[in-house]
Amino acid sequence: MSIAETEIKEEYRVLLYYKYVSIEDPVAFSDQHRAFCNELGVKGRILVSHEGINGTLSGTITQTQTYMDYMHAHPLFEDLFFKVDPHEGHAFKKMFVRPRKEIVTWRLGKDINPAEKTGKRLSPKEFYEHLQRDDVIVIDGRNDYEYDIGHFRGAIRPDVRTTREFPEWIRNNLSEFKDKKIISYCTGGIRCEMLTAFMIEEGFKDVAQLNGGIVTYGKDPEVKGQLFDGKCYVFDERISVPINQVEDVVVGKCYHCGTQEDHYINCKYDFCHRQHVVCPECAKKYNHYCSSECEEKDLELQNKK
């Protein structure tokens, strides 16, 4: 049996990971890392900067295990923690490894190092217990469209479309809670590392974060994802994944008709590509466009070709 035939029959996995650690030459590291990933055959998106690494990739069990072993053999990443999800195939179409100024785009205007200062890390069980307290403020550390398809019960919805909007939103909306107990969460944990560090810098007294993020919470055998309603948005072709193993609560609403739904699609018109929740009936009715205007523009464009 050939290697290719073996890989077709082998199961696939998705790896999610990050680490804030000083990388001296992100460009050289990215070039070397990209070459290794391409040779290995994994696909995904990895960002590298002076402050660390942030990645999501997919591959067969053999490929992903080789990748994890490779990273753990590196002196900077011996303790790198991987969140692992089974999948039917690749969750990405290509492999991107890119140097960036930040591994998450905050643009804070000042240097804050989460490796030195960040909010207290709560285990899934501790976070679950905090969710049931009346004296705790729960902050969603993701973007608004991620919240809309799934979130922890009682969490405050952030009115932001990008991470760099968070500092202003926090200053304008959360200042009254500086003396309160605040817990935050995000998909895999990386955004809350900086979010809680920023809040501490802004004078918030008691800030904590969900260690490992929503995806780790959903896999905890004791908590079983309880009190998370809807699905968790992910930045790959899966788009969303289930978290709550006990009950299935749909919180998303169809962009067109408002019925409860948790399926995200991109507008079929390439110059729009609006990501929106849509029910099966409306997806068919609007031909996977977000509006009749987009469909008309797309048909006009195709007729010109």
Side-chain angles (χ1 to χ4, degrees):
M1 183 180 293
S2 68
I3 295 176
E5 288 174 332
T6 302
E7 290 186 355
I8 290 173
K9 292 184 178 181
E10 193 170 0
E11 294 179 0
Y12 282 71
R13 299 190 297 192
V14 177
L15 305 182
L16 176 66
Y17 67 91
Y18 73 89
K19 185 178 181 181
Y20 278 101
V21 62
S22 179
I23 297 177
E24 186 175 346
D25 190 341
V27 174
F29 182 95
S30 296
D31 291 341
Q32 182 182 22
H33 204 71
R34 186 184 308 107
F36 170 75
C37 289
N38 287 334
E39 182 179 357
L40 183 59
V42 292
K43 298 179 182 181
R45 180 174 178 267
I46 300 172
L47 303 180
V48 182
S49 79
H50 284 290
E51 64 182 7
I53 188 169
N54 178 18
T56 309
L57 58 84
S58 63
T60 65
I61 290 178
T62 300
Q63 290 170 331
T64 52
Q65 187 59 54
T66 300
Y67 182 85
M68 290 189 287
D69 292 342
Y70 172 83
M71 291 297 284
H72 286 149
H74 195 292
L76 291 180
F77 307 112
E78 293 174 334
D79 60 348
L80 185 61
F81 177 69
F82 288 92
K83 304 166 189 71
V84 183
D85 267 328
H87 196 46
E88 294 180 354
H90 274 297
F92 296 89
K93 294 180 179 178
K94 298 180 180 180
M95 185 70 239
F96 296 99
V97 182
R98 292 171 175 166
R100 286 285 188 268
K101 289 184 178 180
E102 301 174 275
I103 51 177
V104 177
T105 306
W106 286 94
R107 297 180 184 172
L108 297 177
K110 54 180 161 181
D111 292 330
I112 298 178
N113 187 355
E116 298 176 354
K117 174 175 60 179
T118 191
K120 178 184 176 182
R121 294 179 176 87
L122 300 176
S123 68
K125 182 179 179 181
E126 290 172 325
F127 194 85
Y128 175 71
E129 292 170 348
H130 276 70
L131 286 172
Q132 299 173 78
R133 288 171 48 177
D134 295 330
D135 61 336
V136 171
I137 306 297
V138 186
I139 305 298
D140 194 309
R142 305 169 301 157
N143 302 325
D144 54 8
Y145 58 89
E146 298 175 73
Y147 178 100
D148 289 343
I149 199 173
H151 51 264
F152 280 106
R153 211 166 293 171
I156 294 177
R157 179 185 185 274
D159 187 20
V160 301
R161 292 290 296 176
T162 63
T163 304
R164 59 178 173 268
E165 297 174 26
F166 258 105
E168 182 179 359
W169 179 78
I170 289 171
R171 290 171 177 145
N172 292 339
N173 296 277
L174 302 183
S175 294
E176 62 183 291
F177 301 130
K178 284 189 175 182
D179 294 325
K180 299 286 187 179
K181 174 71 178 181
I182 294 177
I183 61 174
S184 65
Y185 65 91
C186 59
T187 307
I190 185 171
R191 284 178 280 185
C192 284
E193 295 274 10
M194 186 66 80
L195 176 67
T196 55
F198 172 77
M199 294 181 75
I200 292 171
E201 187 81 5
E202 289 290 302
F204 288 83
K205 306 299 183 185
D206 192 353
V207 183
Q209 59 184 298
L210 173 57
N211 192 31
I214 301 167
V215 292
T216 298
Y217 184 90
K219 293 179 179 299
D220 185 84
E222 186 174 359
V223 174
K224 298 181 178 180
Q226 292 183 84
L227 298 183
F228 187 90
D229 294 334
K231 288 185 171 62
C232 178
Y233 184 96
V234 291
F235 293 90
D236 57 56
E237 292 187 354
R238 295 173 298 171
I239 300 182
S240 64
V241 295
I243 297 297
N244 196 324
Q245 302 175 40
V246 178
E247 56 181 330
D248 183 17
V249 180
V250 179
V251 298
K253 294 183 178 180
C254 177
Y255 177 79
H256 298 288
C257 68
T259 58
Q260 288 192 310
E261 181 58 55
D262 56 13
H263 180 59
Y264 259 127
I265 66 169
N266 292 320
C267 177
K268 193 175 175 181
Y269 181 42
D270 287 339
F271 289 94
C272 173
H273 233 236
R274 177 194 292 272
Q275 199 164 63
H276 57 292
V277 177
V278 63
C279 68
E281 291 77 13
C282 286
K284 183 177 180 180
K285 178 181 178 181
Y286 291 92
N287 296 317
H288 290 81
Y289 292 97
C290 72
S291 66
S292 56
E293 289 78 12
C294 278
E295 182 173 13
E296 291 170 3
K297 289 179 181 177
D298 199 24
L299 290 174
E300 182 180 342
L301 185 65
Q302 292 177 37
N303 290 332
K304 290 181 180 180
K305 292 182 179 179

